[in-house]
Amino acid sequence: MTRLFLPRDSVAESLGAGAVARALLESAQRRGQPVTLTRTGSRGLLWLEPLLEVETPEGRIAYGPVGPEDVEGLLDAGLLQGAPHPLRLSRPEDMPFLARQQRLTFARCGVIDPLSLAEYRATGGLRGLEAALALGGEAVVEAVAASGLRGRGGAGFPTGIKWRSVRTAEAARKYVVCNADEGDSGTFADRMLMEGDPFTLIEGMAIAGLATGATQGYIYIRSEYPLAWRSLNAAIAAAEAAGLLGASVLGSGREFRLEARLGAGAYICGEETSLLESLEGKRGIVRAKPPIPALRGLFGRPTLINNVLSFAAVPWILAHGAAAYAECGMARSRGTMPFQLAGNIRRGGLVELGFGPTLRELVEEFGGGTRSGRPVRAVQVGGPLGAYFPERMLDLPLDYEALAGAGGMLGHGGIVVFDDTVDMARQARFAFEFCAAESCGKCTPCRIGAVRGVEVIDRVIAGRQPARNLALVEDLCEVMRDGSLCAMGGLTPLPVMSALTHFPEDFGRGAAPLAAE
């Protein structure tokens, strides 16, 4: 019986993968050709979705993008033997987009049935959890610290320090919380992992619980991810049934339980203290710090909060060793980062690499330049609160320190591309408008500053006293950056000031100075 593979990823489904699956099964049955169809996650080549693969003696052969109208022709041409066809590509691992990557965290996405524990184990799953049980909590925390892993959700804080803080905190009960409220524009890595390999996240959180002494975990997932929500809950149920979660993790006598909770769509709940408020059933409003969540978090107890990608990196670290993970990357940015290419890009998708590739490498070599075919003018890195970089800065290496030194941030690894038709004054306006809509309203600089920012940028765009109003924009950005309670208001100046610095001509200031180049 021939085995076929087709993603059930959100992107693939939105492009008709469900209809392709039905057409394949119906046509194969009608022809008397026995097949099994495994619905996988996505490999991250989003411009080729739905990407259909067939298992052959030479390995899997990929075809794409496949529509339901292509099914009959594919079967006529010999799809089940991997035969030539205009949609035939090659073995996925031979495609340049994948062959150049360093897939550690995303090694299984698009490869296995995401809800099959047997396939998860067969591809190295649970080796990290077994190693953690053998090592003990203190050694696990030391391994995470030695790996150089830093928070993949945006702040880049050393993960081992967080884990150690929670481990050494004294309390009758501790919690582990996963921030899966992936709200940044152009980001989808969390969703892809939860849909395509949810057991990796579960395993990482179980390791965290055992290492810190926490017995209860929560995954806070955004409501806009219905497929990820269903996949994650099904995986948690399967893990409980198999003894990977519950009163005795893998028969160790150590307890760790896990639940998924659905957010209500507030961007601010991506901020860790707002997330905790929401988990407690309250309105998502930022908490003042100190105390930090590691000491007083969920329900006032010590709480470890990490992003999906941070937890998902841990099983590989425990299974292969901290030194092997630290060999990837550069300087203080160790391991791999799943970069996400979006916006006006020819080949959008997920690229997992060790830290250090340049923006140009990702945008031009992996992404193929703009989808419109026009020149790249601006690239925003790090979500809606990230900086805009002009084309002349595309040789900037992607690591935490290099981006910070250039006035930006890596954030969650989202890269959004704009061609030369973009109006950067309106992009600056959007940053203020976004902050005004998404602010929790607790602090004045963010709540009022964003509203005033929209008004002032509107005056600039209208040509009303531009010099005076641009000076006001700069003052306003300084107040928001220095006076806001959290990163929502504190980072809004980043896209505004980067647009103003690198694209002054869009604000009526004339061409960018040569010194900026």
Side-chain angles (χ1 to χ4, degrees):
M1 183 174 290
T2 304
R3 192 175 182 189
L4 300 169
F5 304 84
L6 186 70
R8 191 182 269 122
D9 173 89
S10 290
V11 170
E13 285 294 282
S14 71
L15 293 170
V20 172
R22 290 189 293 273
L24 273 168
L25 293 175
E26 291 170 2
S27 185
Q29 183 179 34
R30 189 170 59 252
R31 293 164 179 256
Q33 296 175 314
V35 299
T36 61
L37 180 61
T38 299
R39 302 301 302 274
T40 65
S42 172
R43 289 186 185 263
L45 296 82
L46 302 186
W47 77 98
L48 291 175
E49 295 291 9
L51 184 67
L52 175 65
E53 299 175 34
V54 57
E55 195 169 66
T56 74
E58 292 75 38
R60 292 193 198 178
I61 303 297
Y63 296 78
V66 175
E69 68 280 1
D70 300 314
V71 168
E72 293 293 339
L74 282 165
L75 289 170
D76 287 342
L79 165 71
L80 303 187
Q81 292 76 44
H85 184 275
L87 295 180
R88 188 185 191 275
L89 299 165
S90 67
R91 297 192 312 166
E93 58 269 27
D94 294 335
M95 296 180 186
F97 190 87
L98 286 175
R100 294 178 55 194
Q101 295 189 39
Q102 293 170 278
R103 288 281 175 110
L104 305 185
T105 303
F106 283 80
R108 296 182 191 87
C109 276
V111 177
I112 68 169
D113 177 348
L115 296 180
S116 170
L117 262 174
E119 291 190 24
Y120 183 70
R121 280 184 180 272
T123 51
L126 301 184
R127 285 173 54 193
L129 181 56
E130 290 166 351
L133 286 167
L135 285 170
E138 182 61 32
V140 170
V141 172
E142 290 304 316
V144 172
S147 74
L149 179 65
R150 293 168 66 175
R152 299 294 190 249
F157 189 81
T159 304
I161 294 177
K162 267 192 177 183
W163 286 37
R164 187 176 294 115
S165 298
V166 177
R167 176 173 172 77
T168 57
E170 294 185 4
R173 189 169 177 81
K174 301 177 186 179
Y175 296 99
V176 172
V177 172
C178 176
N179 183 347
D181 194 60
E182 185 177 48
D184 282 353
S185 50
T187 59
F188 44 84
D190 291 358
R191 175 192 59 74
M192 269 186 56
L193 190 108
M194 290 186 289
E195 292 176 355
D197 189 15
F199 290 120
T200 291
L201 174 57
I202 292 168
E203 183 178 0
M205 292 189 70
I207 292 169
L210 296 173
T212 60
T215 55
Q216 177 65 51
Y218 293 100
I219 302 171
Y220 186 92
I221 183 171
R222 66 192 308 236
S223 60
E224 294 89 342
Y225 284 172
L227 292 182
W229 168 255
R230 292 199 291 270
S231 176
L232 202 53
N233 277 293
I236 290 172
E240 289 174 345
L244 307 183
L245 297 171
S248 181
V249 173
L250 291 182
S252 65
R254 302 285 304 282
E255 179 184 4
F256 187 74
R257 303 179 188 276
L258 187 60
E259 297 178 29
R261 295 290 175 87
L262 200 61
Y267 180 81
I268 193 62
C269 286
E271 192 278 334
E272 61 181 15
T273 63
S274 294
L275 185 155
L276 293 177
E277 290 287 290
S278 181
L279 267 179
E280 291 180 5
K282 305 170 187 173
R283 180 184 171 197
I285 298 180
V286 174
R287 295 177 182 176
K289 291 185 284 191
I292 60 173
L295 301 179
R296 188 176 178 185
L298 187 64
F299 304 118
R301 303 297 178 88
T303 303
L304 174 65
I305 308 176
N306 279 137
N307 166 264
V308 170
L309 301 181
S310 304
F311 283 122
V314 170
W316 196 96
I317 293 169
L318 269 294
H320 297 86
Y325 192 77
E327 284 178 4
C328 300
M330 60 183 289
R332 293 177 54 208
S333 302
R334 313 309 305 180
T336 62
M337 182 72 192
F339 301 102
Q340 298 128 86
L341 300 176
N344 191 337
I345 190 83
R346 186 179 302 276
R347 296 192 291 267
L350 182 134
V351 180
E352 185 178 359
L353 291 170
F355 286 94
T358 65
L359 267 172
R360 190 177 305 280
E361 183 180 352
L362 282 160
V363 172
E364 295 181 359
E365 296 179 24
F366 281 94
T370 64
R371 185 176 178 85
S372 63
R374 301 182 65 89
V376 173
R377 186 174 188 224
V379 177
Q380 187 177 33
V381 182
L385 305 183
Y388 292 99
F389 295 105
E391 190 279 337
R392 64 179 180 274
M393 294 181 70
L394 291 189
D395 293 313
L396 186 68
L398 288 164
D399 72 82
Y400 292 111
E401 279 66 45
L403 281 168
M409 66 173 187
L410 182 58
H412 190 49
I415 298 172
V416 180
V417 179
F418 300 83
D419 70 12
D420 61 353
T421 63
V422 67
D423 183 333
M424 296 307 298
R426 295 197 175 276
Q427 291 302 118
R429 183 190 190 278
F430 171 76
F432 278 131
E433 184 181 28
F434 180 81
C435 182
E438 297 293 345
S439 172
C440 76
K442 186 165 185 175
C443 70
T444 302
C446 179
R447 182 182 69 249
I448 303 300
V451 176
R452 296 289 87 84
V454 172
E455 296 169 355
V456 178
I457 289 288
D458 279 343
R459 292 200 291 269
V460 171
I461 291 172
R464 293 165 51 193
Q465 299 181 302
R468 178 180 177 181
N469 281 305
L470 284 173
L472 185 55
V473 167
E474 294 180 14
D475 287 347
L476 185 60
C477 283
E478 182 179 356
V479 171
M480 292 183 69
R481 183 190 66 229
D482 297 340
S484 295
L485 190 57
C486 82
M488 181 79 240
L491 290 178
T492 295
L494 206 57
V496 175
M497 291 307 300
S498 63
L500 187 53
T501 299
H502 299 306
F503 307 93
E505 62 273 24
D506 286 18
F507 298 84
R509 279 192 168 180
L514 291 176
E517 302 183 19

